């Protein structure tokens, strides 16, 4: 029987999301909030704009506004609005957010090891190459709406 690539990817994603949700439950944040914290942590000076987060997550302005608002309520990020060159909302990690993101980064490393524990270095590189190629195919087709 032929394997369904889409179903395999969905099952992997579901398992990863469950793992992330379970490990973040103690800190009271969601998978989406974790993604935002990690994105900010990897940005220059641990600061980015709301618009960049929207693009990264590929979600709407109200969705990101809600995520940022909840992170701000938990004192994990700080925001500032700049009006000078158009209205931009700057988002940066708070000290508490930085500590949490470091813990998440450590957990993510453990999950990466789990995902690739039976892979040699060449297989890991090939997997990343193929996944990036798959992502590019999907991104190109979605932008062209050729599906």
């Amino acid at each position: 029987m032929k394997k369904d690539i889409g179903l395999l990817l969905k099952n992997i994603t579901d398992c990863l999301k469950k793992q992330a949700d379970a490990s973040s439950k103690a800190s009271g944040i969601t998978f989406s909030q974790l993604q935002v914290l990690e994105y900010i942590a990897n940005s220059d000076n641990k600061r980015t704009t709301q618009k960049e987060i929207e693009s990264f997550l590929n979600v709407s302005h109200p969705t990101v506004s809600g995520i940022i608002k909840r992170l701000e309520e938990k004192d994990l990020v700080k925001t500032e609005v700049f009006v000078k060159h158009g209205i931009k909302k700057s988002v940066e990690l708070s000290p508490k957010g930085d500590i949490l993101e470091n813990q998440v980064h450590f957990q993510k490393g453990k999950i990466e090891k789990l995902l690739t524990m039976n892979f040699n270095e060449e297989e890991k590189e090939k997997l990343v190459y193929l996944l990036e190629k798959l992502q590019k195919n999907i991104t190109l087709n979605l932008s062209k709406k050729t599906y």
Side-chain angles (χ1 to χ4, degrees), residues 7-135:
L7 182 60
L8 287 170
L9 291 171
K10 181 196 178 305
N11 291 340
I12 292 167
T13 302
D14 288 350
C15 287
L16 290 172
K17 189 173 182 326
K18 281 180 190 175
Q19 178 73 31
D21 284 342
S23 65
S24 67
K25 196 172 190 175
S27 58
I29 61 174
T30 66
F31 182 66
S32 295
Q33 291 169 345
L34 283 174
Q35 289 178 304
V36 170
L37 289 176
E38 184 176 30
Y39 180 78
I40 297 168
N42 291 319
S43 298
D44 291 336
N45 299 320
K46 297 186 181 191
R47 176 187 289 237
T48 189
T49 65
Q50 182 168 332
K51 186 71 175 164
E52 289 170 338
I53 295 170
E54 290 168 20
S55 296
F56 168 70
L57 292 177
N58 196 27
V59 294
S60 69
H61 178 81
T63 300
V64 173
S65 290
I67 292 169
I68 291 170
K69 179 181 174 203
R70 286 183 287 285
L71 288 172
E72 202 168 17
E73 288 169 354
K74 294 172 184 170
D75 193 31
L76 298 172
V77 298
K78 297 183 279 184
T79 61
E80 192 173 346
V81 177
F82 294 96
V83 184
K84 196 170 189 174
H85 299 287
I87 298 174
K88 288 187 179 179
K89 190 171 196 174
S90 170
V91 185
E92 67 179 294
L93 288 181
S94 69
K96 184 178 173 183
D98 194 33
I99 291 168
L100 179 62
E101 196 285 323
N102 285 329
Q103 293 169 349
V104 168
H105 185 74
F106 177 75
Q107 284 296 109
K108 187 177 176 185
K110 287 171 48 177
I111 292 170
E112 287 269 331
K113 284 181 183 175
L114 173 69
L115 287 171
T116 59
M117 70 181 180
N118 294 316
F119 290 59
N120 62 38
E121 285 305 311
E122 185 179 326
E123 289 170 327
K124 289 177 190 178
E125 289 175 18
K126 184 74 168 181
L127 177 63
V128 170
Y129 168 77
L130 292 172
L131 289 172
E132 286 175 341
K133 194 171 182 179
L134 180 64
Q135 183 181 24

Side-chain angles (χ1 to χ4, degrees), residues 1-5 7-8:
M1 179 178 195
K2 185 178 176 187
K3 297 285 184 178
D4 182 331
I5 294 170
L7 182 60
L8 287 170

Side-chain angles (χ1 to χ4, degrees), residues 58 137-147:
N58 196 27
N137 288 346
I138 292 168
T139 304
L140 286 173
N141 282 316
L142 286 177
S143 66
K144 293 179 185 176
K145 298 192 191 271
T146 60
Y147 49 95

